[in-house]
Amino acid sequence: MSQFEPAYPPAQALKQQLNALEASLKQEDDRVHRTLQEAYRSSRERELQLTKSVDDLKARFLDQRKRTIQYSITKRDADTNRQLYDALLQRYKAIGVAGGVGVSNISVADPAELPQVPVSPRLVINLLIGLFGGLALGGVLTLALEQIDQGIDNPHEVEDEFGIPLLGVIPNVDEGTPQESIRDRKSPISEAYFTLRTNLEFSSERGMPRVLAVTSTRPSEGKTTTSCIARSIARAGGRVVLVDADMRSPSMHSMFGVSNSLGLSNFLSGDDKLESLLHNTEFDGLDIIAAGPHPPSAPELLSGDRLQQLNEQLLMRYDKVIYDAPPVMGLSDALLVAARAEGVVMVVESHATHKNMVRVTMDRIRQSQGSLLGAVLTKFNISQTSYGYGYGYGYGYGYGSTEQN
C-alpha cells in the first residue's frame, strides 16, 4: 500500500484474501466456542445427574437403615409376644386340667315330661292370621293395582281427566266382528255409532264439520271402525266420502272389498283423475278412496297443497269428507291431516290406553292447529261398570242396567 494506490488490482486482491482469512478465523473461533459451550453444558448436566443419583442412593441408604432399625424393634416385640403367648397357653391348659377333676355343678331343675298337646301348629291362631293377613294383602294389592292401572274404565273420566267432550261410547263386541254388528241396525254397536253421529251434529255451532278426521293414540284402538260413522251419515240421506289416509298401514280397501292400486297417494303425487280414485260401496250415498300404493315418504305428500285441493274438489261432490287418519304417537301423518280438517275425533280404547298417552295425543293435535271435537271410547266392556244410557221415548237399553233413561 505504500507503493500502490488502494484501487490497484493486486492490492485489492490481497485485501480480499485478508478479509476472507479473518472471516474464516472468526467462524472457526465461533465454532470452537460453541463446541466448548456444548461440552461444558453436557458435562454440567452429567454432573447434576450424578449428583442426583448420589443423593438418591444416600436417601435409600438412610431409609434402609431406618427400616432395619424398625424391623429389629418389631422382631423384638414379636419374640416377646410369642413368649407371653406360650406362657399363657401353658397356664390355660394347666387350669383346664385342674378344673376337670373338680365336682360338677350341674343339677336337675325340671324333669322332662311327655307333652299332652302339640305346641305347633295352632289351627285356630293360624286361621285367624291367614284371614286377616289375606284381607290386608288383598287391600294392599287392590290399592296398588288401582294406582298402576291408568286405563280409562269409566266414560265419565274422559271429561274429568282430559276436559274434552265424550262424543260416544262404543261397546265391545263379544261375538263376530264389529263390521258384522254395524250392519245390524238394531245392534248396540250400531246404535252407539248413531249416537256418535248425533253428538257430532252438536259439536260446533255449524253442526258436524264438513271435513272430519278420525285418529287415535296408537294402532288397534278401533279408529278405522269408528271412521265408518260415514255409514250412519249416509243412512240419514247425506253424500259422504270416506278417505283412507293411513298410507303406511291401509285397511279400508279390505273392509269394503275394493282395490288399493289407486288411491290417496296417487292424487297427492299429482294424479288429477279423481273419478278413477272413487269406489262405490253397497251403502247408498257412501263412496270411499283407498290409501293407494305405499309412497316413499307419506309426510312429504301430506304436507303439500294437494290435500287441501282434494278437500275442495270432494266438497263440490259430497256433503261430508271423513279421513281415516293414522295414529298420532310416533307419526306426523295424522297431525298433517288434522291441520287440513275442520274437526278431529280422537278414538280411545277403554281399559287399555294409558291416560298420559291420551294427554300427549291431545297436546300434539292442538299444537298442529287441529280442532279437537272430543273423544270416542271404544271396546267398552259393559260388564265392568254400571254406565248406561237409553232413549226416553220407550225404546232403551243400558250398559249394566235394564232401566230406561
Side-chain angles (χ1 to χ4, degrees):
M1 286 301 182
S2 61
Q3 296 178 4
F4 304 102
E5 293 292 331
Y8 184 64
Q12 290 183 351
L14 292 175
K15 182 67 175 177
Q16 293 177 356
Q17 291 180 2
L18 289 174
N19 293 335
L21 290 174
E22 290 177 355
S24 298
L25 289 174
K26 188 175 185 308
Q27 291 179 356
E28 184 66 20
D29 183 61
D30 293 340
R31 185 184 66 79
V32 172
H33 182 69
R34 287 195 301 271
T35 302
L36 293 175
Q37 283 185 341
E38 291 177 357
Y40 171 76
R41 189 181 301 109
S42 177
S43 299
R44 180 61 178 171
E45 291 178 356
R46 179 62 178 168
E47 179 187 1
L48 293 176
Q49 291 178 355
L50 292 174
T51 302
K52 183 179 179 181
S53 299
V54 171
D55 293 339
D56 292 341
L57 291 174
K58 289 181 179 179
R60 291 172 59 184
F61 177 73
L62 293 176
D63 183 65
Q64 185 176 6
R65 291 187 60 185
K66 292 180 180 178
R67 289 176 180 270
T68 303
I69 296 172
Q70 185 64 36
Y71 171 75
S72 301
I73 296 173
T74 305
K75 184 174 181 301
R76 190 182 304 111
D77 292 341
D79 294 339
T80 304
N81 292 334
R82 185 179 294 107
Q83 293 175 0
L84 291 174
Y85 173 76
D86 293 338
L88 290 174
L89 183 61
Q90 185 177 3
R91 184 78 177 273
Y92 174 76
K93 289 183 178 180
I95 294 174
V97 172
V101 298
V103 180
S104 175
N105 58 354
I106 298 175
S107 62
V108 178
D110 191 6
E113 296 180 357
L114 183 67
Q116 301 297 322
V117 294
V119 177
S120 180
R122 297 182 179 180
L123 183 60
V124 177
I125 295 178
N126 290 345
L127 288 176
L128 292 175
I129 293 175
L131 176 61
F132 289 105
L135 291 176
L137 181 61
V140 172
L141 290 177
T142 302
L143 293 176
L145 292 175
E146 183 69 21
Q147 295 296 325
I148 295 173
D149 184 15
Q150 290 294 320
I152 301 176
D153 300 328
N154 193 325
H156 296 291
E157 295 181 9
V158 174
E159 296 185 2
D160 296 340
E161 294 283 344
F162 312 120
I164 58 176
L166 177 64
L167 299 176
V169 179
I170 311 301
N172 192 25
V173 178
D174 297 329
E175 298 179 358
T177 63
Q179 289 74 24
E180 295 174 353
S181 300
I182 292 176
R183 295 177 183 273
D184 183 7
R185 297 190 178 186
K186 295 183 180 180
S187 65
I189 190 172
S190 181
E191 293 289 344
Y193 277 116
F194 181 81
T195 304
L196 171 60
R197 182 190 68 82
T198 304
N199 291 335
L200 285 174
E201 294 290 347
F202 300 99
S203 61
S204 65
E205 297 179 354
R206 297 177 297 177
M208 182 187 301
R210 299 187 65 189
V211 181
L212 190 66
V214 180
T215 185
S216 63
T217 299
R218 54 183 179 82
S220 303
E221 290 192 81
K223 167 183 59 64
T224 301
T225 305
T226 303
S227 301
C228 293
I229 186 181
R231 298 176 181 177
S232 300
I233 301 174
R235 288 175 184 173
R239 287 188 54 79
V240 188
V241 59
L242 186 56
V243 183
D244 190 354
D246 192 353
M247 292 180 285
R248 300 175 187 264
S249 179
S251 58
M252 195 71 66
H253 63 283
S254 301
M255 184 181 300
F256 287 92
V258 299
S259 174
N260 194 39
S261 58
L262 294 176
L264 176 62
S265 61
N266 298 95
F267 185 89
L268 297 179
S269 300
D271 187 358
D272 292 325
K273 298 179 181 179
L274 185 60
E275 291 292 343
S276 62
L277 308 181
L278 295 171
H279 297 276
N280 296 326
T281 65
E282 58 181 315
F283 302 95
D284 294 335
L286 175 61
D287 296 338
I288 70 167
I289 297 179
H294 189 279
S297 178
E300 291 183 3
L301 293 180
L302 293 171
S303 60
D305 297 333
R306 296 288 294 176
L307 186 61
Q308 183 61 31
Q309 296 177 14
L310 178 63
N311 290 339
E312 295 173 356
Q313 295 186 29
L314 292 177
L315 289 176
M316 296 174 63
R317 298 166 176 252
Y318 300 93
D319 300 322
K320 305 292 181 185
V321 179
I322 299 180
Y323 284 95
D324 178 18
V328 173
M329 297 302 293
L331 302 174
S332 61
D333 304 11
L335 304 179
L336 295 172
V337 176
R340 300 289 185 179
E342 297 178 4
V344 180
V345 175
M346 184 173 64
V347 176
V348 180
E349 181 181 354
S350 62
H351 318 294
T353 304
H354 202 281
K355 295 178 182 179
N356 290 334
M357 293 179 63
V358 177
R359 294 187 180 93
V360 173
T361 301
M362 293 170 50
D363 293 339
R364 294 192 65 187
I365 293 175
R366 288 166 177 165
Q367 290 173 1
S368 66
Q369 306 302 320
S371 177
L372 185 59
L373 302 178
V376 178
L377 199 61
T378 60
K379 302 180 184 180
F380 185 68
N381 192 347
I382 61 178
S383 63
Q384 296 183 4
T385 181
S386 60
Y387 178 78
Y389 61 92
Y391 301 99
Y393 53 79
Y395 171 74
Y397 62 93
Y399 292 149
S401 174
T402 59
E403 297 180 359
Q404 296 179 359
N405 297 326

